[in-house]
Amino acid sequence: MRSLKTKNSLLLLCLPMLFLRAQGEFKSVAGYSPNIGSMVYMLEDLKERITEQVNDLDQAQTDFQYDADANSIGALIMHLVSTESYYQVATLEGREWTAEEMESLGIAGELNSKVNKMLKGKPIGHYLDLWDEVRAKTLAGLKTKDDEWFASNIEEGLNYRYIWYHVMEHSANHMGQIGTIKNRLPK
């Protein structure tokens, strides 16, 4: 009897995922080595879910801050763009940002009141378009790498897989923050 209750409970927990997006299956994206393909799947899934959450925001919603210390959704998306670009350039191209990249993409490397003030007045599409550009470069760069590279160390105790895991979990973290801000948008 207990086993049946456990199975029914598990089914009830998973049922919404199956109907909403069939997220019960984890895949490796074709065209990449298996482990990199799995990371690409996670990165793309999170980006798609965040984009769906924000793509219909108007200007006031994109710039909204529920208090003086809060981040706007526009600033958070730009922060995700900045973070991915930084790690993409460092790990896939083996270099630092150029001065131009620092000025255009590095602006939201840190989130603070100064950055939030600077990142106002741009439509959500601006930030999503930048993310699309950065992601295209990330995907192209990851296609040139293999699982041996992915598992190799950048330095003692730090490998490329962990760096890209960090980019992925960073997106997941800020997806939750974006959801909280959306819940506090003025009606």
Side-chain angles (χ1 to χ4, degrees), residues 22-34:
Q23 292 179 357
E25 186 178 357
F26 190 82
K27 303 172 187 172
S28 180
V29 177
Y32 298 89
S33 62

Side-chain angles (χ1 to χ4, degrees), residues 149-164:
W149 169 85
F150 204 42
S152 67
N153 282 354
I154 297 167
E155 59 186 56
E156 184 64 35
L158 180 65
N159 65 18
Y160 292 102
R161 175 182 275 173
Y162 185 82
I163 293 294
W164 285 99

Side-chain angles (χ1 to χ4, degrees), residues 4 18 20-21 23 43-44 73 82 92 94 106 110 119 123 174:
L4 183 58
L18 296 173
L20 290 175
R21 298 178 49 101
Q23 292 179 357
L43 289 166
E44 287 289 87
I73 291 174
S82 183
L92 300 174
E110 286 187 44
L119 294 173
H174 289 305

Side-chain angles (χ1 to χ4, degrees), residues 54-71:
V54 303
N55 67 0
D56 62 349
L57 296 180
D58 64 29
Q59 191 61 59
Q61 293 168 323
T62 300
D63 290 342
F64 174 75
Q65 293 175 259
Y66 55 80
D67 67 40
D69 296 323
N71 296 305

Side-chain angles (χ1 to χ4, degrees), residues 29-47:
V29 177
Y32 298 89
S33 62
N35 290 320
I36 292 174
S38 292
M39 181 60 64
V40 166
Y41 180 86
M42 290 184 280
L43 289 166
E44 287 289 87
D45 179 68
L46 281 167
K47 183 177 180 295

